[in-house]
């Protein structure tokens, strides 16, 4: 055996998909047309749940009813407060053989409005946000924004708000300084380029004015802004206190690059995994193991709250399912395996210092298995066991899915967490699998179509 043969037998690295399987390109590009549409239809967790429920209902899913007997191939879902969703296809094996869980999150970093947000300063009306999730605040100035959300009016009617997505609708914007006057600001640390209380969202600049009597009133621009919102949605200023309003980038998902190899869009962390997981769920016929596809909220702020995975709602769902299938919940959990489907940081050649080359994920090299996340010695991570890695890799390789491994940056360069630790708390084996992302958490994130398609193929293989 010569060196070349020996190397082929003993050494390994994840190949570039376009070299190894160029024929995948066509299917991947076609798949991403639907993916981009999903991104445009769901820019908040609530909108994602709505769109997912629509797709589930078209595919014959029904809301779970514990009194109904469910048989292999039946399809059900649970809607948690319109902000998190679980869908399942009953498998042919007994439930006690374990379920195949796939959990992605549908919340993304953004600007949330404070409870008392509307104010006027020097004849400009603004809305005041408190940012949600890990954002680099300086990136959010001079970006066209859309307003999304729900308001509970005093008449107890829930009003859905969406301004800035449809063609011809106005958008909103946070201003930044011109370079000519930015010498003081340029000296700030980048993390303070725009400070939290400087993220004021421009909403209007013309006053309400009927006659000179109005000269006696203050804040006429604020009044005009409120009048316009009232005309559109019947809301008053007090209604902001019973609202969840999110400002997100107003642009649509688009192709990036001469070769159109990337998708550029807001919120691909983690809707890229949510969509690919959902597609695999929708297409599951009669899987061996019962599937459980989880689209969770609140991951970006630590999975806290009753729509996040550090809540017992998934446990309760599995309790219901176990009751329905006469299965012991403890056994179900113990025999289950979960993909915590979330994105990882793709190696960025412009910023090599924060990555360790041999243990980074690369665009166009497939879905990324992240054995552990965390920071400072894996703290806050669920470190997948050798056995779990072995099982998942075998599943992927049986279907010829392109995969690679990746760490979230070099040791001590930073870190992060996912839902994996909360799944592990249920006594379920879990590993992070996802898509490498460039510019993660920016208002505009990039992902490679070949990787997106690989994630979809991985999730489909998992649900076979
Ligand atoms: Mn994520
Ligand atoms: Mn994230």
């Amino acid at each position: 055996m010569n060196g070349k043969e020996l190397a082929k037998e003993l050494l390994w690295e994840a190949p570039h998909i376009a070299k190894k399987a160029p024929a995948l390109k066509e299917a991947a590009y076609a798949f991403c047309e639907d993916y981009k549409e999903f991104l445009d239809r769901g820019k908040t967790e609530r909108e994602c749940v709505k769109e997912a429920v629509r797709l589930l209902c078209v595919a014959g899913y029904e809301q779970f009813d514990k009194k109904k007997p469910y048989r292999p191939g039946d399809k059900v879902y649970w809607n948690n407060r319109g902000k998190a969703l679980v869908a399942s296809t009953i498998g042919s094996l007994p439930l006690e053989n374990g379920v195949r869980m796939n959990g992605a999150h549908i919340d993304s970093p953004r600007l949330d409005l404070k409870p008392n947000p509307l104010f006027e300063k020097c004849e400009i009306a603004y809305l005041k946000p408190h940012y949600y999730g890990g954002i680099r605040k300086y990136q959010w100035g001079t970006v066209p924004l859309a307003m999304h959300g729900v308001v509970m009016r005093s008449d107890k009617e829930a009003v859905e708000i969406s301004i800035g997505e449809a063609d011809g609708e106005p958008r909103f914007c946070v201003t930044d300084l011109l370079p000519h006057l930015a010498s003081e600001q340029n000296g700030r640390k980048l993390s303070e380029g725009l400070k939290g209380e400087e993220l004021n969202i421009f909403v209007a600049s013309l006053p309400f004015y009927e006659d000179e009597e109005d000269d006696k009133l203050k804040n006429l621009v604020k009044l005009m802004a409120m009048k316009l919102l009232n005309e559109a949605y019947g809301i008053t200023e007090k209604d902001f206190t019973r609202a969840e309003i999110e400002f997100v980038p107003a642009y649509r998902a688009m192709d990036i690059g001469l070769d159109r190899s990337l998708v550029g869009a807001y919120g691909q962390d983690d809707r890229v995994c949510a969509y690919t997981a959902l597609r695999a769920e929708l297409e599951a016929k009669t899987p061996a193991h019962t599937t459980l596809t989880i689209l969770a909220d609140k991951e970006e702020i630590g999975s806290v709250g009753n729509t996040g995975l550090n809540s017992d709602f998934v446990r309760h769902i599995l309790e219901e399912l176990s009751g329905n299938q006469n299965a012991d919940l403890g056994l179900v959990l113990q025999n289950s395996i979960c993909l915590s489907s979330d994105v990882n940081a793709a190696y960025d050649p412009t910023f090599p210092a924060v990555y360790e080359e041999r243990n980074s994920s690369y665009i166009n090299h497939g879905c990324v298995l992240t054995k552990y996340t965390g920071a400072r010695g894996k703290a806050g991570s669920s470190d997948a066991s050798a056995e779990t890695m072995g099982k998942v890799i075998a599943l992927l390789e049986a279907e010829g899915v392109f995969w690679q491994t990746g760490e979230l940056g070099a040791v001590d360069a930073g870190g992060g967490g996912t839902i994996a630790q909360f799944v592990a708390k249920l006594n379920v084996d879990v590993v992070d699998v996802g898509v490498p992302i460039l510019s993660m958490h920016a208002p505009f994130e990039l992902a490679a179509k070949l990787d997106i398609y690989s994630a979809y193929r991985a999730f489909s293989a998992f649900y076979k």
Side-chain angles (χ1 to χ4, degrees):
M1 192 178 279
N2 63 27
K4 194 177 161 192
E5 286 161 352
L6 190 65
K8 198 177 171 207
E9 201 166 306
L10 297 186
L11 305 182
W12 175 76
E13 61 184 30
H16 194 293
I17 301 174
K19 289 183 190 164
K20 195 86 177 174
L24 277 186
K25 184 183 149 186
E26 202 179 327
Y29 279 38
F31 181 88
C32 286
E33 290 305 303
D34 295 333
Y35 168 54
K36 285 184 285 178
E37 204 180 308
F38 180 82
L39 288 175
D40 293 340
R41 283 169 176 264
K43 288 197 175 177
T44 67
E45 59 284 2
R46 285 177 192 271
E47 291 170 357
C48 277
V49 165
K50 216 172 200 187
E51 175 63 6
V53 167
R54 187 184 73 79
L55 293 169
L56 289 170
C57 290
V58 168
Y61 285 71
E62 56 177 67
Q63 223 160 343
F64 180 78
D65 175 354
K66 55 180 151 192
K67 290 183 212 102
K68 269 194 179 170
Y70 289 110
R71 277 180 279 277
D74 285 349
K75 289 174 170 281
V76 291
Y77 73 91
W78 294 256
N79 185 340
N80 181 3
R81 298 169 170 85
K83 298 173 71 168
L85 189 74
V86 175
S88 173
T89 305
I90 308 297
S92 55
L93 291 171
L95 198 68
E96 285 179 358
N97 286 43
V99 298
R100 291 272 169 92
M101 297 165 64
N102 189 351
H105 68 91
I106 49 175
D107 61 316
S108 294
R110 61 188 187 240
L111 303 179
D112 282 353
L113 285 194
K114 294 190 184 194
N116 190 14
L118 185 59
F119 71 101
E120 175 174 336
K121 202 169 180 184
C122 301
E123 300 176 317
I124 295 179
Y126 294 99
L127 286 164
K128 191 70 141 161
H130 189 142
Y131 64 97
Y132 171 96
I135 65 165
R136 307 189 73 194
K137 295 185 273 289
Y138 76 89
Q139 294 177 334
W140 289 73
T142 68
V143 170
L145 299 172
M147 180 177 181
H148 292 244
V150 65
V151 180
M152 296 303 298
R153 281 195 319 223
S154 55
D155 61 7
K156 298 203 172 95
E157 176 136 6
V159 190
E160 279 178 45
I161 291 183
S162 172
I163 307 174
E165 293 296 341
D167 286 336
E169 285 184 353
R171 272 99 201 191
F172 307 88
C173 201
V174 171
T175 57
D176 198 355
L177 272 180
L178 60 168
H180 319 63
L181 298 179
S183 63
E184 180 274 326
Q185 189 197 29
N186 284 342
R188 293 183 192 177
K189 287 196 299 185
L190 191 55
S191 60
E192 292 172 1
L194 281 175
K195 297 178 188 177
E197 295 295 353
E198 291 172 342
L199 295 170
N200 299 317
I201 302 165
F202 174 94
V203 287
S205 61
L206 297 180
F208 176 86
Y209 197 83
E210 295 241 300
D211 52 43
E212 283 117 56
E213 273 299 293
D214 290 329
D215 283 323
K216 295 174 192 157
L217 293 171
K218 278 192 213 155
N219 296 329
L220 290 167
V221 180
K222 171 181 168 175
L223 182 63
M224 188 62 180
M226 202 59 243
K227 182 173 183 281
L228 292 170
L229 282 171
N230 180 267
E231 283 166 5
Y233 296 104
I235 59 173
T236 66
E237 187 177 19
K238 194 177 181 183
D239 291 329
F240 282 119
T241 59
R242 31 184 180 232
E244 283 179 279
I245 298 177
E246 310 173 8
F247 279 79
V248 298
Y251 33 71
R252 292 184 191 165
M254 60 189 87
D255 289 345
I256 296 292
L258 289 172
D259 55 6
R260 298 177 175 268
S261 56
L262 307 186
V263 171
Y266 162 69
Q268 298 201 75
D269 173 9
D270 183 35
R271 293 184 194 122
V272 68
C273 294
Y275 181 69
T276 45
L278 183 66
R279 276 286 292 264
E281 168 63 47
L282 289 164
E283 291 163 13
K285 293 283 180 281
T286 306
H289 295 266
T290 296
T291 71
L292 203 77
T293 305
I294 306 162
L295 306 186
D297 184 26
K298 295 285 179 275
E299 193 278 341
E300 294 295 357
I301 57 168
S303 296
V304 290
N306 57 15
T307 52
L309 279 189
N310 193 10
S311 133
D312 284 339
F313 80 88
V314 170
R315 194 195 162 86
H316 289 170
I317 284 169
L318 282 166
E319 238 165 53
E320 288 189 351
L321 204 52
S322 298
N324 183 271
Q325 301 283 303
N326 292 317
D328 178 80
L329 176 65
L331 274 179
V332 173
L333 291 169
Q334 183 183 314
N335 290 328
S336 292
I337 183 163
C338 179
L339 303 182
S340 158
S341 297
D342 208 341
V343 299
N344 199 330
Y347 183 86
D348 187 337
T350 305
F351 302 103
V354 298
Y355 299 89
E356 190 261 289
E357 282 177 31
R358 293 202 53 78
N359 286 284
S360 296
S361 58
Y362 291 82
I363 60 165
N364 295 314
H365 287 249
C367 63
V368 50
L369 282 176
T370 305
K371 188 176 183 295
Y372 49 83
T373 58
R376 299 171 306 280
K378 305 186 181 179
S381 146
S382 168
D383 196 346
S385 67
E387 291 85 346
T388 305
M389 292 298 282
K391 263 187 225 169
V392 172
I393 290 169
L395 280 168
L396 302 184
E397 300 212 318
E399 296 298 317
V401 176
F402 288 93
W403 63 276
Q404 57 183 323
T405 59
E407 254 191 310
L408 188 66
V411 175
D412 291 340
T418 63
I419 61 157
Q421 57 181 308
F422 306 110
V423 174
K425 203 174 142 213
L426 292 168
N427 192 25
V428 170
D429 284 325
V430 57
V431 61
D432 287 299
V433 184
V435 174
I437 298 274
L438 290 164
S439 307
M440 195 201 292
H441 282 209
F444 193 71
E445 302 175 311
L446 305 177
K449 291 178 179 176
L450 288 170
D451 299 329
I452 297 167
Y453 192 61
S454 295
Y456 159 68
R457 291 188 67 223
F459 301 157
S460 299
F462 189 59
Y463 282 171
K464 256 199 126 174

